Amino acid sequence: MASGDQMAEIGEPGDMEEVNEAQGLEDGSSLISTMERNGKTQPDSPVKEKKLGMMKQFRERMKQVGERSPLASNSNESKDRPYSDQGGDSIDPEVTSLTHPLPPTHSPSLSAGSPVASPLKSPDSSTIGDSLLKKGASIRRSLRFVRNKKDKTLKQEPLQSVTEITVEEKREREREKKKEEVNESYILPEIPLIPPSGLSAGSPVGSPLKSPVGFFQRKEGGEIAEDSPPSQKKHSRTHSDSSTIGDSLLKKGASIRRSLRLVGNKKDKTLKQEPLQSVTEIRVEEKREREEKREREESVEIKESYILPEIPLTPLSVMQINELIKTEVLEEAHLNLLSLRQEFQREREECMEEASPMELAKKEKDLSILYRAMQEKVKEIVRNSNSLPSCNKELLMHVARVIQEEETREAEPGGVVGLGDWRGAWREAVSKGVEATLKRVHLDRPEQNASWLAIHLGLLGKAIVEDLEKVKGELQGSYPPSFNVFSTYMSCYHGAVSQHLNTLQQQVTDLKDYYALLDWIINCYESEKIMSSPSLRPEMEAEKIGLSLEEGFLDQLKGKYCMRAKEDMRASLDKILELENEDIWIKKQAPETDDEHFLNSDIHMDIWTKVKSNAVNSKRIDVNLEMRVVCSCLEELQQFPKRFETKLTYCCNSVENPSLWADYQITYINTFTALKEHMEGYRESCPTQVDHLSREVDGLVHRLAQGLEGQFKNDVRPYLRRMMTRKWLSTDEDFQQLYSRTEKLTHRCSQMRPPNVQTFLSRLHYYVVKEYVSQLMKNNYSCKNRKHDKAATKMRAQWDKLKDLFVEMTAHDWLHPVGDHLSNIIGETNKRDIKNHLKLFVADYPDISKKHLSAVLYFRGLMRGRERQVILQRLTELKRELGTAGNIGDNRRALFSDMQVTVTNTDCLADMPFFCLLLPDS
């Protein structure tokens, strides 16, 4: 076996510098060129061997060695003697594989004077030995084995990649294919990895490669021993080294094969490699181990008590201590500072004569300066501790010990004046660090980004959580328990955030920013998004404190929010008016209809959506705030109906099309009625504001309906004036105009939403009936010469048409009989029978008076006479019987009371008592 020095010689860089050219022994020409440079070329090798493969060269040289060996002669001892009979073990085919080529065994019976002394001594054997040296180095280099000269061990570098191994196998298959083409085959017997025990040095079968001590035995100083065989004495040191190197290579190759777990297959002469662990798995495992180690280190809690290291008897100079403080060598700096302090106290207590007061004052000043520098450095470290990596845990531990030690010495007499409250200074540093963290959060200006505040608050919450996670995971374990690190940081964050919010609210002007600020304070800060984050538990569960806002800060902020909501509501209403004018009124565009075929505008939806959004957003913050915001919006909305009416009148004065103007009026009647219904949902929370708004909306709807009705009245007034005249009796033109305009308006009103449509049509129905009947009260025409029959027939026909027009569209069905009653009175042929129609007439319309009935009789042609007086007297009796004398009866059914009668003095007997008119035979 090769010694450690021999292995070292193999691994030296000087011996391996040319191995790269011959690595793998794949090219015979490169092998020969390498040996020529080393001065070990074989002079009798033919030039054509350069073109042969490595295996063919190897086999031919082995064949030559066999022929030159004494074992190949005709002696009786070795002729036809198998190798196994010579005491050699069978050679493992694995050793003869392409990956691990090994030298042949030496003949045990070579004499010193033999012409072929040894295969290792011949040029061929030296070449093979040299090749084996280089091949062994190549194997070791491919496996990245690097020897350590100090501890004689081998360190393994990263293994050859799978891709490289696959390439080697491909090359191996190509070499086997070439080997099959070679006619002469040779299989090297198995070379035993462990030499057999019990063989002596002079045994005939003792191979130098199998000998436990090698082929050569030496005296001290490297000379050959005299009792060694003659053949051995003639071997040089070089040959001895090469045999030993060959032996070491055999064993080293076996070791390498075992380390790589390469298993030989005797059938296909290939190598199988067991699965190797991937580099990724190794790295992941190492990373996991490092993390577990770090977690174990962090989980170690620093104890409250500690042992102060020995204070130096002689302190360093002031400059040196100051330098230690600057370089954050706190432990050494503090010990020297304590030593300097003790020295100062001793000198002051001793009051030695040689101690000058000036010197003491100077030393006290230096000591004070150093302490202030130490405290400032401690505060600086604490301020920046959360931005430092976790490896500064030891530095923070020294900070904690300095604070603890100084706290114990604060009560000592003779302390340095002006220093103290180290724990307070530590808290102040923590607070400053927290403030610095908040200031580092990105903040845009309002003019740069419309969502500047919402973005900043989101980043602020994220920064707070990340910072407290570091406090919990890293900083908390760097201090003793008495520091209450997490609680202190929490308290500092509450204070710093409160100040930061106070600064932010001074920049807020928009409603959305007020909402973002209130929502973050009330809903987000204490939620799981920030302070109640699962990553901060269980430490956070023990904290009961919250934001330390100034007194009245939230109420003031809510008040500003309500005022801003009111202002924003007014701006939204102005925008609605502007859009309505631009999109509808200026363009004279007809209104749209909804799915139910009602004329509709989106104004009410825009307003309701605005109020609803403000209410919903405010409710997320506070229920009371929702009520305040809604009331503010409704107060601003109360002024909107009048503003809208003014704007509508101003913009639509130029509308010449009456139909378009009527559509606008119907549209906004529907719109504001819907708006009123929407706002009724807030009556419970804001009853006063809803009542005021309802009254304003009702007034606007009524005025719009009156405008629509007034337009209709103006349109039909000329036609009504010509009713109950001679022209009316002779033609239907005026009535047809009245009917067509009334029909058109009623049809347009079908696009008006209930209940307004019923109210408006009832008023329209009442107006048409009253105006039609009123024409009889003007005494413009009297039917003579029996024209009353024609007038009655025409009146009945026209009345039926009007009744059919309104019968399904109005609730004033009590107006339908009036036309029939009048037609019966006017068309009665016998004057005396007229009084028989009065009973039903008075029952349906108790407000009719003598004046009204006199006007009807005048139109009938009954202007004077006894019959007329009898009819009027009958009316008086019926009214007395029905109990309606002196009043108009049911106010809800007052028709004639609203009609003015034109008085004509055509009857001089109208005021005479009834009994004076009775005939003697009556």
Side-chain angles (χ1 to χ4, degrees):
M1 179 180 293
S3 63
D5 295 338
Q6 291 171 338
M7 290 299 295
E9 291 175 2
I10 295 173
E12 286 295 316
D15 298 333
M16 306 299 294
E17 61 184 359
E18 294 180 352
V19 175
N20 286 338
E21 300 180 6
Q23 185 172 354
L25 299 179
E26 296 175 1
D27 192 351
S29 62
S30 63
L31 175 64
I32 295 172
S33 63
T34 303
M35 289 188 290
E36 287 176 356
R37 288 195 298 270
N38 293 336
K40 297 178 182 180
T41 57
Q42 186 175 354
D44 56 347
S45 298
V47 178
K48 66 180 179 179
E49 287 183 353
K50 295 182 180 179
K51 301 180 180 179
L52 296 177
M54 183 270 294
M55 292 303 300
K56 186 172 182 181
Q57 280 187 349
F58 180 80
R59 290 169 182 166
E60 289 180 359
R61 287 170 184 156
M62 292 304 298
K63 184 176 180 182
Q64 293 174 5
V65 171
E67 291 174 354
R68 295 172 185 174
S69 175
L71 295 177
S73 63
N74 296 328
S75 61
N76 295 329
E77 293 181 359
S78 59
K79 186 176 182 179
D80 298 329
R81 186 176 182 181
Y83 187 85
S84 60
D85 296 340
Q86 299 178 17
D89 298 335
S90 62
I91 298 176
D92 190 356
E94 294 176 9
V95 181
T96 64
S97 66
L98 297 178
T99 309
H100 303 285
L102 299 175
T105 57
H106 298 284
S107 173
S109 60
L110 295 178
S111 61
S114 176
V116 182
S118 172
L120 295 177
K121 187 176 181 181
S122 64
D124 290 342
S125 60
S126 64
T127 304
I128 295 172
D130 196 13
S131 301
L132 287 172
L133 285 174
K134 297 176 180 179
K135 183 59 181 175
S138 173
I139 295 172
R140 288 169 46 247
R141 180 165 297 180
S142 65
L143 297 174
R144 306 292 196 276
F145 281 103
V146 181
R147 184 183 61 82
N148 192 328
K149 293 183 179 181
K150 294 182 179 180
D151 53 4
K152 307 299 182 183
T153 60
L154 295 176
K155 295 183 179 179
Q156 185 176 2
E157 295 182 359
L159 297 177
Q160 192 176 7
S161 66
V162 179
T163 306
E164 294 174 353
I165 295 175
T166 307
V167 173
E168 286 294 332
E169 292 177 353
K170 183 176 181 181
R171 292 175 179 174
E172 183 179 344
R173 288 194 296 269
E174 293 177 356
R175 289 195 293 268
E176 287 184 0
K177 185 176 180 181
K178 291 180 181 180
K179 181 177 67 175
E180 292 176 358
E181 297 175 357
V182 178
N183 295 330
E184 296 180 1
S185 61
Y186 175 80
I187 299 176
L188 184 66
E190 182 182 3
I191 300 175
L193 299 177
I194 303 175
S197 60
L199 296 178
S200 62
S203 175
V205 293
S207 174
L209 292 178
K210 297 166 73 173
S211 173
V213 296
F215 188 83
F216 304 102
Q217 297 181 1
R218 310 175 188 277
K219 291 183 180 180
E220 294 180 5
E223 296 179 359
I224 301 175
E226 294 179 357
D227 55 351
S228 61
S231 61
Q232 295 178 0
K233 292 181 180 180
K234 292 185 179 181
H235 283 294
S236 65
R237 178 178 178 87
T238 304
H239 292 158
S240 176
D241 289 344
S242 43
S243 64
T244 307
I245 291 169
D247 195 6
S248 66
L249 282 175
L250 288 174
K251 297 178 180 179
K252 184 59 183 177
S255 175
I256 293 171
R257 285 172 29 249
R258 283 194 300 271
S259 66
L260 293 176
R261 291 176 172 82
L262 297 177
V263 182
N265 191 332
K266 294 183 179 182
K267 293 181 180 181
D268 54 3
K269 299 295 185 296
T270 60
L271 296 178
K272 295 181 179 179
Q273 182 177 3
E274 295 183 1
L276 298 178
Q277 192 176 10
S278 66
V279 178
T280 305
E281 293 177 355
I282 295 174
R283 292 178 179 174
V284 171
E285 190 66 28
E286 291 176 355
K287 183 178 181 181
R288 187 183 296 112
E289 291 177 358
R290 288 196 300 268
E291 290 178 354
E292 291 176 354
K293 182 179 178 181
R294 181 174 60 83
E295 291 176 357
R296 287 195 299 270
E297 292 175 354
E298 292 177 353
S299 62
V300 178
E301 184 179 357
I302 298 179
K303 297 181 179 180
E304 187 67 33
S305 60
Y306 66 97
I307 299 176
L308 184 69
E310 183 179 358
I311 300 176
L313 296 177
T314 304
L316 297 174
S317 66
V318 174
M319 297 300 294
Q320 289 175 328
I321 297 175
N322 189 48
E323 187 64 27
L324 290 176
I325 293 173
K326 288 182 179 179
T327 56
E328 298 181 352
V329 187
L330 296 185
E331 185 177 22
E332 185 178 353
H334 187 236
L335 291 175
N336 283 275
L337 192 56
L338 292 177
S339 177
L340 184 62
R341 178 177 179 176
Q342 291 177 355
E343 183 181 81
F344 168 74
Q345 290 174 345
R346 285 196 305 269
E347 293 179 359
R348 189 171 60 178
E349 290 173 358
E350 292 175 359
C351 294
M352 295 180 299
E353 296 179 358
E354 60 274 11
S356 170
M358 295 292 294
E359 291 293 332
L360 287 176
K362 180 180 179 181
K363 184 169 291 187
E364 183 178 9
K365 183 178 180 181
D366 292 341
L367 192 60
S368 178
I369 293 174
L370 288 176
Y371 260 108
R372 293 187 184 280
M374 172 65 78
Q375 194 173 84
E376 290 300 322
K377 177 56 68 175
V378 166
K379 291 165 68 175
E380 178 187 347
I381 293 172
V382 173
R383 280 197 307 270
N384 302 328
S385 59
N386 224 8
S387 59
L388 296 174
S390 58
C391 60
N392 287 274
K393 180 176 182 179
E394 185 177 357
L395 183 60
L396 291 177
M397 182 184 68
H398 293 324
V399 167
R401 296 312 186 195
V402 168
I403 295 173
Q404 284 182 297
E405 185 64 25
E406 289 302 322
E407 284 181 335
T408 59
R409 295 174 181 268
E410 283 180 4
E412 293 182 1
V416 180
V417 180
L419 290 183
D421 193 17
W422 282 77
R423 191 67 64 99
W426 175 76
R427 293 192 187 96
E428 180 185 354
V430 170
S431 180
K432 293 295 183 182
V434 168
E435 291 177 4
T437 300
L438 299 183
K439 289 180 180 179
R440 286 195 296 267
V441 179
H442 179 72
L443 176 63
D444 287 329
R445 292 192 300 273
E447 58 271 16
Q448 290 178 327
N449 192 341
S451 303
W452 65 278
L453 186 57
I455 294 174
H456 175 71
L457 292 175
L459 296 175
L460 187 67
K462 183 179 179 182
I464 292 172
V465 173
E466 292 177 352
D467 205 41
L468 289 177
E469 286 175 352
K470 291 181 182 178
V471 172
K472 175 186 174 182
E474 299 178 9
L475 300 188
Q476 189 170 231
S478 302
Y479 293 91
S482 64
F483 277 75
N484 296 324
V485 177
F486 191 84
S487 179
T488 302
Y489 270 88
M490 282 293 301
S491 178
C492 291
Y493 260 110
H494 290 325
V497 170
S498 299
Q499 295 178 1
H500 187 66
L501 294 176
N502 190 20
T503 303
L504 287 176
Q505 68 92 17
Q506 298 174 7
Q507 307 177 41
V508 175
T509 56
D510 293 338
L511 181 66
K512 61 181 178 56
D513 295 331
Y514 278 113
Y515 170 77
L517 192 59
L518 284 169
D519 182 64
W520 193 86
I521 294 173
I522 296 175
N523 296 327
C524 296
Y525 186 73
E526 300 291 343
S527 70
E528 292 186 355
K529 295 179 180 179
I530 305 178
M531 285 303 179
S532 296
S533 174
S535 60
L536 302 179
R537 298 172 184 170
E539 285 79 2
M540 187 60 210
E541 295 175 352
E543 302 295 330
K544 302 300 181 183
I545 57 177
L547 285 172
S548 54
L549 298 171
E550 296 179 1
E551 185 177 358
F553 176 80
L554 271 181
D555 291 338
Q556 182 183 4
L557 194 60
K558 290 178 181 178
K560 291 181 178 180
Y561 178 75
C562 292
M563 290 299 297
R564 186 58 196 175
K566 188 174 182 179
E567 295 173 2
D568 194 56
M569 187 69 195
R570 182 178 181 86
S572 298
L573 295 175
D574 290 340
K575 187 67 176 178
I576 288 172
L577 289 176
E578 182 180 351
L579 291 176
E580 195 73 9
N581 183 35
E582 293 177 356
D583 297 341
I584 305 296
W585 300 337
I586 293 179
K587 298 178 181 179
K588 305 295 190 295
Q589 184 175 345
E592 297 179 355
T593 56
D594 57 14
D595 296 337
E596 298 176 346
H597 303 290
F598 295 121
L599 291 174
N600 180 60
S601 172
D602 293 333
I603 291 178
H604 68 99
M605 287 302 300
D606 295 338
I607 296 174
W608 179 77
T609 302
K610 182 65 177 178
V611 177
K612 185 69 174 179
S613 63
N614 289 341
V616 171
N617 293 335
S618 304
K619 188 176 182 179
R620 292 174 184 170
I621 298 173
D622 187 1
V623 176
N624 294 329
L625 183 62
E626 176 195 13
M627 182 186 66
R628 294 173 59 184
V629 169
V630 171
C631 290
S632 298
C633 293
L634 292 179
E635 288 174 0
E636 184 59 39
L637 194 56
Q638 291 174 15
Q639 311 299 325
F640 181 66
K642 291 182 179 178
R643 291 169 53 202
F644 178 84
E645 185 179 8
T646 303
K647 189 76 172 178
L648 175 66
T649 305
Y650 175 78
C651 294
C652 295
N653 277 335
S654 59
V655 176
E656 298 177 356
N657 186 357
S659 298
L660 181 60
W661 174 241
D663 287 342
Y664 283 164
Q665 290 170 313
I666 294 173
T667 298
Y668 298 124
I669 288 174
N670 293 339
T671 297
F672 279 88
T673 302
L675 177 63
K676 176 185 173 181
E677 294 175 357
H678 291 320
M679 295 302 108
E680 283 293 328
Y682 300 107
R683 179 172 291 278
E684 184 177 355
S685 58
C686 306
T688 304
Q689 287 77 10
V690 172
D691 284 340
H692 289 318
L693 178 62
S694 297
R695 285 196 294 268
E696 293 295 331
V697 171
D698 289 342
L700 175 62
V701 170
H702 179 70
R703 289 190 294 272
L704 290 173
Q706 280 185 331
L708 185 61
E709 185 178 352
Q711 181 183 350
F712 172 76
K713 291 178 181 179
N714 293 332
D715 192 22
V716 300
R717 185 175 289 115
Y719 308 110
L720 287 170
R721 286 177 180 176
R722 290 191 286 267
M723 294 291 171
M724 312 308 166
T725 62
R726 181 180 289 107
K727 184 181 179 181
W728 168 79
L729 190 62
S730 60
T731 180
D732 291 337
E733 182 181 353
D734 293 330
F735 178 79
Q736 291 297 334
Q737 291 293 332
L738 172 65
Y739 181 82
S740 63
R741 280 164 171 73
T742 304
E743 183 182 28
K744 186 181 295 183
L745 180 58
T746 55
H747 178 73
R748 181 169 284 109
C749 286
S750 64
Q751 294 179 301
M752 185 185 297
R753 284 184 173 276
N756 294 311
V757 61
Q758 289 85 0
T759 302
F760 180 79
L761 289 177
S762 296
R763 292 172 60 183
L764 182 64
H765 184 199
Y766 180 83
Y767 172 79
V768 171
V769 170
K770 188 189 75 168
E771 291 300 319
Y772 187 88
V773 175
S774 295
Q775 304 308 314
L776 292 173
M777 307 300 150
K778 295 180 179 180
N779 296 325
N780 292 329
Y781 181 71
S782 178
C783 296
K784 299 177 180 178
N785 302 324
R786 302 187 63 86
K787 292 181 181 178
H788 63 89
D789 187 36
K790 182 179 179 181
T793 303
K794 191 167 192 174
M795 181 181 294
R796 191 183 303 276
Q798 291 179 356
W799 193 256
D800 290 339
K801 292 185 68 175
L802 291 175
K803 184 172 62 174
D804 293 340
L805 181 63
F806 289 104
V807 68
E808 295 180 356
M809 303 176 64
T810 178
H812 289 351
D813 52 354
W814 60 275
L815 293 174
H816 297 323
V818 66
D820 296 330
H821 291 317
L822 293 174
S823 299
N824 292 333
I825 292 174
I826 295 171
E828 182 62 46
T829 305
N830 191 354
K831 298 179 181 179
R832 295 182 179 182
D833 294 337
I834 293 176
K835 62 180 181 294
N836 298 331
H837 298 285
L838 295 180
K839 186 174 182 179
L840 294 177
F841 197 179
V842 173
D844 290 337
Y845 304 98
D847 61 333
I848 189 171
S849 63
K850 281 185 177 183
K851 293 179 180 180
H852 297 111
L853 183 57
S854 297
V856 174
L857 294 175
Y858 178 85
F859 182 78
R860 160 67 175 71
L862 190 59
M863 295 177 288
R864 61 182 65 87
R866 180 172 174 272
E867 290 83 3
R868 182 174 180 273
Q869 294 299 320
V870 172
I871 295 171
L872 294 176
Q873 186 62 31
R874 179 60 180 166
L875 175 64
T876 304
E877 292 176 355
L878 290 173
K879 292 185 62 140
R880 186 182 300 113
E881 291 175 2
L882 295 174
T884 60
N887 57 62
I888 61 174
D890 190 355
N891 292 330
R892 293 174 298 178
R893 294 191 173 189
L895 174 63
F896 290 94
S897 60
D898 292 338
M899 297 181 189
Q900 295 180 357
V901 180
T902 302
V903 179
T904 58
N905 294 323
T906 58
D907 190 2
C908 59
L909 302 177
D911 296 329
M912 292 180 64
F914 179 72
F915 66 87
C916 297
L917 300 176
L918 295 177
L919 297 176
D921 55 351
S922 61

